[in-house]
Amino acid sequence: MRSVLTVGSVAFDSIKTPLGEASRIVGGAATYFSIAASFFTQVRLVAVVGDDFGPEQLQVFDGRQIDLSGLHRLAGETFRWKGEYSDDLNTRETIYTHLNVFEQFHPRVPDAFRDSPFVFLANIHPSLQLEVLEQVNTPEFVALDTMNLWIEGSPAELRQALKEVHVVIINDEEARELSGESNLVKAARVIRGLGPKRVVIKRGENGVLMTHRDGFFAAPGMPLEKVCDPTGAGDAFAGGFVGYLAAASQLSDAIVIQAVIAGSTMASFAVEDIGLDRLLRLTDTEVKARFADFKQLTQFDAL
Amino acid sequence: MRSVLTVGSVAFDSIKTPLGEASRIVGGAATYFSIAASFFTQVRLVAVVGDDFGPEQLQVFDGRQIDLSGLHRLAGETFRWKGEYSDDLNTRETIYTHLNVFEQFHPRVPDAFRDSPFVFLANIHPSLQLEVLEQVNTPEFVALDTMNLWIEGSPAELRQALKEVHVVIINDEEARELSGESNLVKAARVIRGLGPKRVVIKRGENGVLMTHRDGFFAAPGMPLEKVCDPTGAGDAFAGGFVGYLAAASQLSDAIVIQAVIAGSTMASFAVEDIGLDRLLRLTDTEVKARFADFKQLTQFDAL
């Protein structure tokens, strides 16, 4: 079991969905990632919070194998985001994004984290992602998330970062934008041409598509009766995916494919309640049961 | 191997997509269904055409195990439809629908077809679907397709038809409209409450969701580099699904699940060229290979 280093946002989220509403709850990409990944392996978190982020907020990490010695605190307010979802949850409007202490954020990777064999660069400015990679020894596995803001606004830095990573984990819209191809088969090929050996495309309720050998592996979304809040589902996926890989003894084809299901499992839980709530009360037994549910959902006999 | 009776439209289609355009080509739900199903079993087609539908048009059925003795000819023009697809192929505009001879259509099931053990009621008015069922002995398996026009316009007749069928095969939008539930898990439950033991929800490029035991079976769409024309893909799915079941010696759980893959296989070919073109040049070997591709695409090891 090897450690995963992740660098990204720890934030206060305010969320409104048709099924629920919450104000100033703990969120952020690195938070969702860390909690999901910690079900599988040890996590090392590098992020920044303000002096408004106290012991009450830190409770979300309690009792999990998440090393917080890279969680820096600066004077000022923690990153804040507010989003509202449409009735079908497929679109969301960002009401505000206050970067606050995140505005001056330059990740400092603690010495003890530099040997991390697995690295997940959550969705932050590609220059910061590159700064992280300068501070670690040669990791065995680096995955990167990004978004339209950097694809459009910092294409040169993003291209440089993409050259340094093994896997890119993005959603379908981002894959289309990054590649300039609307067809996902072509989009994945273009993105692989930018550096990453593997492309994982998150498709929300429609599941996941991952390049594999000459083709693809695909997992449908788990049909859920209650979908409350998609916030953080993509980061929970990444946490399950990278965490599962880090826990494995080798990165065989079979393991990488199982990791997609581990990621899909974590994402399917993440959406069942508002914010982190479902992940916070999730048990290992439930994780194993849902992995088995995915097998039931998708497996069939050869002709 | 048991015969499948299908009743529905045989038409002239005019289609415009970003990758192709064709005028006055042979189409119609029953046509796509029959050709797809004939890869697996014998098909008995009941439909109506005008006197403009000649030997040239009939060639699409040549050399296939499709019995055309229920293809009636009336004086007048054949049903015509024209549609134009958006750039991403996810929406289409109907430019015109001329019912022509279809306007007076009342299906007459030939005596020799009355013992058909499998029946597929393609998307026609639910009263006509009921007329078909009155003319057949007790089939072992009846599946039904429908659309928003009948869900909104003929709800009483549709409810009556639903009581008589084993499986409903509709798309996600229709499932939501028919059930009044936006969540597909709930939608499927409501629809099962209307009669059909099983609900198959077609999701286009996002694959298929089928109720199964207490849960679901799901197949993702095959990632395709070239998607030319979605016309008839849903009917090709139904043809593969019902045809595969009819060819099987029993309707076990494993067979019904394989039938979803057989249907997905036929739909994945249907979209690769305009109109019927890809299905018309399709071979059994290609069908078997793509079924195997679906296995590669989706299968993973248990934990």
Side-chain angles (χ1 to χ4, degrees), chain B residues 30-191:
Chain B
T31 307
Y32 281 94
F33 177 91
S34 297
I35 292 173
S38 71
F39 279 81
F40 302 96
T41 197
Q42 290 164 353
V43 180
R44 297 163 165 181
L45 173 62
V46 171
V48 64
V49 293
D51 42 28
D52 54 356
F53 201 96
E56 193 193 335
Q57 282 74 39
L58 287 169
Q59 278 177 15
V60 302
F61 301 109
D62 273 3
R64 305 177 191 279
Q65 43 183 347
I66 303 174
D67 186 333
L68 297 178
S69 54
L71 182 63
H72 305 291
R73 191 182 304 269
L74 291 179
E77 283 192 286
T78 300
F79 181 26
R80 281 183 178 222
W81 172 83
K82 180 171 183 172
E84 272 190 39
Y85 288 86
S86 64
D87 279 352
D88 67 1
L89 298 173
N90 283 329
T91 54
R92 81 173 172 205
E93 192 188 347
T94 293
I95 307 299
Y96 60 71
T97 303
H98 300 315
L99 290 177
N100 298 332
V101 295
F102 211 81
E103 207 154 358
Q104 288 93 40
F105 180 53
H106 284 275
R108 277 180 295 126
V109 177
D111 286 345
F113 288 6
R114 291 176 190 260
D115 65 351
S116 300
F118 280 68
V119 177
F120 176 66
L121 304 167
N123 172 23
I124 52 176
H125 194 292
S127 302
L128 301 186
Q129 295 177 323
L130 284 163
E131 285 178 28
V132 173
L133 293 181
E134 282 163 18
Q135 297 174 65
V136 293
N137 308 337
T138 312
E140 183 180 336
F141 178 96
V142 182
L144 169 157
D145 187 9
T146 192
M147 72 186 293
N148 53 355
L149 192 62
W150 320 126
I151 296 171
E152 292 159 26
S154 307
E157 295 93 326
L158 180 56
R159 295 251 164 166
Q160 207 187 325
L162 285 169
K163 283 186 194 152
E164 309 286 326
V165 308
H166 304 96
V167 175
V168 58
I169 304 176
I170 52 182
N171 71 33
D172 39 11
E173 210 176 303
E174 291 156 356
R176 291 189 171 104
E177 197 168 358
L178 178 57
S179 64
E181 288 283 355
S182 63
N183 178 290
L184 290 180
V185 176
K186 291 180 187 167
R189 188 183 304 137
V190 169
I191 294 167

Side-chain angles (χ1 to χ4, degrees), chain A residues 31 101 111 115 150 169 179 196 214 254 266 270 293:
Chain A
T31 308
V101 295
D111 287 344
D115 65 351
W150 320 125
I169 304 175
S179 64
D214 297 335
M266 302 313 288
D293 289 345

Side-chain angles (χ1 to χ4, degrees), chain A residues 4 28 30 33 59 71 77 107 109 120 130-131 138 140 156 160 200 225 238 241 261 265:
Chain A
V4 178
F33 177 90
Q59 278 177 14
L71 182 64
E77 283 192 285
V109 177
F120 176 67
L130 284 163
E131 285 178 27
T138 311
E140 184 181 338
Q160 208 187 327
V200 180
E225 185 151 357
F241 180 75
I261 304 301
T265 294

Side-chain angles (χ1 to χ4, degrees), chain A residues 183 189 203 206 209 216-218 223-225 244 254 257-258 261 291 295 297-303, chain B residues 183 185 189 203 206 209 216-218 223-225 244 254 257-258 261 291 295 297-303:
Chain A
N183 178 289
R189 188 184 302 137
R203 311 182 75 195
N206 297 316
L209 193 60
F216 288 89
F217 175 74
L224 298 169
E225 185 151 357
Y244 188 85
I257 279 175
Q258 283 182 320
I261 304 301
F291 192 104
K295 200 149 172 67
L297 178 70
T298 59
Q299 306 301 281
F300 59 89
D301 297 338
L303 279 185
Chain B
N183 178 290
V185 176
R189 188 183 304 137
R203 311 182 74 193
N206 297 316
L209 193 61
F216 288 89
F217 174 73
L224 298 169
E225 185 150 357
Y244 188 85
I257 279 175
Q258 283 182 321
I261 303 301
F291 191 104
K295 199 147 173 70
L297 179 70
T298 58
Q299 305 301 282
F300 59 88
D301 298 337
L303 278 185

Side-chain angles (χ1 to χ4, degrees), chain A residues 88-210:
Chain A
D88 67 1
L89 298 172
N90 283 328
T91 54
R92 81 172 173 207
E93 193 190 346
T94 293
I95 307 299
Y96 59 71
T97 305
H98 301 314
L99 291 177
N100 298 334
V101 295
F102 211 81
E103 208 154 359
Q104 289 94 40
F105 180 54
H106 284 276
R108 278 180 295 125
V109 177
D111 287 344
F113 287 7
R114 289 174 191 262
D115 65 351
S116 301
F118 280 69
V119 176
F120 176 67
L121 303 167
N123 172 23
I124 53 176
H125 194 292
S127 302
L128 300 186
Q129 294 178 321
L130 284 163
E131 285 178 27
V132 172
L133 293 182
E134 282 163 18
Q135 296 174 63
V136 292
N137 307 338
T138 311
E140 184 181 338
F141 178 98
V142 182
L144 168 156
D145 187 9
T146 192
M147 72 187 293
N148 55 354
L149 193 62
W150 320 125
I151 296 171
E152 291 159 24
S154 308
E157 294 93 325
L158 179 57
R159 295 253 165 164
Q160 208 187 327
L162 285 169
K163 283 187 193 151
E164 310 285 324
V165 307
H166 304 96
V167 175
V168 59
I169 304 175
I170 53 183
N171 70 34
D172 40 9
E173 210 177 303
E174 292 156 355
R176 292 191 170 103
E177 197 168 358
L178 178 57
S179 64
E181 288 283 356
S182 63
N183 178 289
L184 291 181
V185 177
K186 292 180 186 168
R189 188 184 302 137
V190 169
I191 295 168
R192 287 178 70 182
L194 300 175
K197 273 196 290 194
R198 209 181 268 279
V199 182
V200 180
I201 300 174
K202 300 174 286 186
R203 311 182 75 195
E205 62 172 343
N206 297 316
V208 181
L209 193 60
M210 177 179 75

